Amino acid sequence: MERIVAPSMLSADFGHLDRDTRMIDRSAAQWVHIDVMDGVFVPNISFGFPVMKPIRRATEKLLDVHLMIVEPEKYVARFVEAGADLVTFHYEATTDPAACAEAIRRAGAKVGISIKPATPVEALRGLLPAVDLVLVMSVEPGFGGQSFIPGSLDKVRELRRLCDELGVRPVVEIDGGISAANAAEVFAAGVDAVVAGSAVFKAADPEAEILRILGA
Ligand code: DX5
Ligand code: ZN
């Protein structure tokens, strides 16, 4: 599968969202990653629907929305209306992950499910046939700029084994602490899509940094 890079808008300049989104739109990155935090599921608050609008207007690239909110099923349809192409919710954030996946599908978007660093891959066994993507968190969700947790790659390999056993092939995405320095081993472990926030937006030349991650 081709390598995908999804720059995280959490690290963009919110005073220049249009400019920063257009930069990603021109770049080699295929997706735009959007981190939604509610201050309950994670100890931080980012943004919601109104902020998605200027992003949606500025790019036709796939909007990869990562919901770090409790009871995601209440809001998934509104995120799809706001322009999400792919909606990823947390396994830990809902009492009925299968119903949440179904609500996303019904709203017309691709379905992603994410697990925090402490959640075992095995928890996803019954859900894997119902999702298009699995997002493995390689930091505790809530903040950009944290260090990659090394054990995350073992989880990716285990996830790949479980998918093979079940005969399913969701996209495997990883999020947190990714840069050109570790992208090669991340892709080698079986990751298809990497999220990169600070590595891209803090780089002197973000477009060149995206190319370095893709070519790592
Ligand atoms: C963290 C978010 C990430 C974050 C990644 O909760 O889900 O998408 O923006 O930032 P970096 O790439 O700086 O670790
Ligand atoms: Zn994210």
Side-chain angles (χ1 to χ4, degrees), residues 1-205:
M1 201 184 164
E2 66 158 341
R3 292 175 166 195
I4 292 167
V5 173
S8 167
M9 298 307 292
L10 190 63
S11 295
D13 179 346
F14 283 34
H16 295 96
L17 263 187
D18 185 70
R19 178 199 69 191
D20 283 5
T21 311
R22 286 182 200 283
M23 181 275 292
I24 301 300
D25 194 62
R26 279 193 310 271
S27 79
Q30 299 94 331
W31 296 358
V32 180
H33 188 80
I34 298 184
D35 289 300
V36 178
M37 304 178 184
D38 67 354
V40 180
F41 182 69
V42 290
N44 195 13
I45 298 177
S46 58
F47 54 79
F49 312 114
V51 176
M52 279 187 63
K53 284 192 192 150
I55 299 176
R56 180 71 288 176
R57 271 199 305 269
T59 183
E60 293 194 351
K61 290 191 173 177
L62 184 145
L63 292 195
D64 164 29
V65 175
H66 176 194
L67 298 181
M68 286 161 275
I69 65 173
V70 295
E71 300 186 86
E73 56 279 356
K74 283 190 180 167
Y75 298 103
V76 291
R78 287 188 62 194
F79 280 104
V80 177
E81 269 168 47
D85 299 295
L86 161 68
V87 178
T88 297
F89 65 97
H90 268 268
Y91 170 80
E92 306 87 356
T94 173
T95 53
D96 194 346
C100 189
E102 178 53 32
I104 296 168
R105 181 93 53 212
R106 219 180 311 120
K110 297 265 190 222
V111 180
I113 191 161
S114 183
I115 48 174
K116 298 208 280 186
T119 303
V121 160
E122 188 62 34
L124 298 179
R125 178 179 284 272
L127 294 160
L128 287 173
V131 303
D132 303 297
L133 175 144
V134 178
L135 173 57
V136 175
M137 287 308 298
S138 42
V139 297
E140 285 300 334
F143 301 90
Q146 304 179 74
S147 304
F148 183 83
I149 299 172
S152 312
L153 294 185
D154 286 333
K155 279 180 91 172
V156 167
R157 287 184 275 263
E158 205 189 320
L159 173 63
R160 291 297 224 152
R161 277 195 295 275
L162 182 57
C163 290
D164 288 348
E165 183 194 324
L166 299 172
V168 294
R169 181 61 176 91
V171 174
V172 176
E173 185 178 34
I174 199 160
D175 185 2
I178 308 292
S179 69
N182 59 8
E185 54 170 344
V186 164
F187 284 122
V191 168
D192 304 300
V194 301
V195 176
S198 41
V200 167
F201 285 98
K202 300 229 184 313
D205 183 345

